[in-house]
């Protein structure tokens, strides 16, 4: 890039300005993470432009062409000068090179799963989550009287949440045997050994109102539930909620989000 022209540099600066302007169009949900990214991009862009200015300033030299000694060489020189485009007109090559410089600077970097979790949870540090239909394959308390199965697709995501958040799992059960099946399923899946979750943070109750009471006492930043009635009851008490349901439902409140599954909410499929 040492031989980049002034016109190409102008195009680079112009495109960088547009890129940075787009970065600062931040939505309320992602204000924390995107603000940091935008400031970092601005700092990198300023440094990059400074390097280009030094590069172009240090390599431009005035070259004197020897005077033509013959009429033939004079004719060739005149023809060459006539073919040079006016300085005010940009060539497609200039635009292409400038765009390549900007594209290289703003190459997208795929975020890690941990970064996605922090971004989607808006930096929330305490999360409560029901088990049925979210963490477990089963969707009804009656199903737990027969078996309990942890979704394999949600396991890595669940463990990542426990690294960043204080996570509490809870569910309504019909008997003690159902409770034992759930704890065994979570233990066999490695939730208690690989993550930051302990058995004391898996809570059980006999009614949906009991689960709502758990959530209100814990005062989490996020509550995740598959029961629409529980979500509706807690909407005015909890900062953010996620309603997990395969069926599309009406938005209960501005602080309630919805997704077919926990994995889809985090874009982890």
């Amino acid at each position: 890039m040492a031989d980049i022209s002034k016109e190409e540099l102008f195009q680079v600066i112009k495109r960088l300005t547009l890129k940075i302007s787009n970065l600062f169009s931040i939505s309320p949900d992602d204000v924390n993470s995107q603000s940091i990214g935008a400031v970092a991009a601005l700092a990198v862009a300023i440094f990059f432009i400074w390097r280009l200015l030094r590069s172009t300033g240090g390599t431009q030299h005035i070259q004197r062409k020897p005077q033509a000694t013959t009429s033939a060489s004079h004719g060739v020189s005149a023809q060459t000068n006539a073919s040079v485009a006016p300085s005010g007109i940009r060539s497609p090559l200039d635009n292409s090179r400038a765009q390549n410089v900007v594209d290289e600077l703003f190459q997208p970097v795929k975020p890690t799963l941990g970064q996605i979790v922090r971004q989607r949870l808006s930096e929330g540090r305490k999360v409560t989550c029901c088990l049925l239909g979210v963490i477990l394959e089963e969707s009804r308390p009656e199903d737990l009287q027969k078996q309990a199965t942890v979704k394999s697709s949600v396991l890595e995501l669940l463990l990542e949440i426990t690294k960043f958040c204080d996570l509490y799992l809870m569910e309504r059960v019909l008997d003690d045997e159902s409770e034992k099946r759930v704890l065994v399923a979570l233990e066999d899946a490695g939730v208690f050994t690989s993550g930051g979750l302990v058995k004391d943070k898996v809570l059980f109750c006999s009614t949906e109102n009991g689960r709502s009471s758990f959530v209100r006492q814990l005062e989490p930043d996020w509550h995740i539930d598959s029961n629409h009635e529980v979500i509706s009851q807690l909407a005015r008490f909890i900062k953010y909620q996620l309603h997990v349901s395969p069926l599309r439902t009406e938005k209960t409140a501005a602080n309630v989000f919805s997704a077919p599954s926990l994995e889809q909410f985090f874009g982890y499929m």
Side-chain angles (χ1 to χ4, degrees):
M1 289 186 293
D3 58 346
I4 187 170
S5 67
K6 288 184 178 180
E7 187 58 41
E8 291 171 339
L9 178 59
F10 172 78
Q11 290 299 310
V12 169
I13 296 173
K14 181 179 178 181
R15 285 175 169 82
L16 286 175
T17 303
L18 292 175
K19 289 279 188 177
I20 295 169
S21 297
N22 292 335
L23 284 174
F24 276 102
S25 300
I26 301 170
S27 64
D29 294 337
D30 299 330
V31 63
N32 292 329
S33 59
Q34 288 196 17
S35 297
I36 296 173
V39 172
L42 177 60
V44 172
I46 293 173
F47 173 76
F48 188 74
I49 293 171
W50 174 74
R51 289 288 301 273
L52 286 176
L53 287 171
R54 286 191 60 189
S55 174
T56 55
T59 58
Q60 289 180 346
H61 301 284
I62 299 176
Q63 297 181 356
R64 296 181 179 178
K65 294 183 179 181
Q67 295 182 352
T69 56
T70 65
S71 59
S73 61
H74 176 74
V76 172
S77 177
Q79 183 179 1
T80 302
N81 292 335
S83 64
V84 176
S87 59
I89 301 176
R90 297 190 303 269
S91 70
L93 180 59
D94 289 341
N95 287 333
S96 177
R97 293 180 62 185
Q99 184 62 53
N100 289 339
V101 171
V102 175
D103 290 343
E104 289 178 8
L105 179 61
F106 284 90
Q107 280 289 337
V109 179
K110 186 178 181 180
T112 64
L113 181 57
Q115 291 172 333
I116 294 173
V117 168
R118 289 192 292 271
Q119 179 182 356
R120 294 296 284 162
L121 293 180
S122 303
E123 302 295 329
R125 300 310 299 264
K126 182 182 283 188
V127 177
T128 55
C129 178
C130 81
L131 288 161
L132 287 172
V134 180
I135 306 301
L136 300 178
E137 296 282 1
E138 293 73 26
S139 58
R140 302 179 307 158
E142 292 80 5
D143 298 335
L144 298 178
Q145 293 182 306
K146 300 177 181 179
Q147 63 181 17
T149 310
V150 176
K151 293 182 178 181
S152 57
S153 59
V154 81
L155 183 59
E156 186 176 357
L157 180 58
L158 179 65
L159 296 178
E160 194 64 43
I161 294 174
T162 62
K163 293 178 184 177
F164 177 71
C165 302
D166 186 14
L167 177 65
Y168 290 82
L169 301 179
M170 53 190 65
E171 193 49 70
R172 177 171 77 95
V173 293
L174 302 179
D175 51 39
D176 293 342
E177 291 301 317
S178 297
E179 181 178 331
K180 292 178 182 178
R181 287 189 185 90
V182 170
L183 290 174
V184 169
L186 292 172
E187 187 170 12
D188 290 346
V191 173
F192 300 129
T193 56
S194 302
L197 189 68
V198 295
K199 291 183 178 181
D200 291 340
K201 291 185 178 182
V202 183
L203 311 176
F204 297 95
C205 55
S206 58
T207 64
E208 301 294 359
N209 287 336
R211 183 157 82 246
S212 298
S213 179
F214 281 155
V215 175
R216 291 186 60 180
Q217 290 177 29
L218 290 169
E219 298 181 339
D221 299 301
W222 279 83
H223 176 63
I224 304 169
D225 211 295
S226 57
N227 188 299
H228 187 265
E229 292 184 6
V230 173
I231 291 289
S232 300
Q233 292 173 7
L234 295 172
R236 60 194 180 100
F237 301 107
I238 307 304
K239 186 176 181 180
Y240 299 112
Q241 289 194 97
L242 172 62
H243 180 213
V244 175
S245 173
L247 302 177
R248 188 176 183 86
T249 58
E250 294 183 3
K251 195 174 182 66
T252 306
N255 62 335
V256 176
F257 302 86
S258 61
S261 67
L262 189 65
E263 304 94 299
Q264 291 190 34
F265 175 72
F266 287 98
Y268 181 72
M269 297 298 295

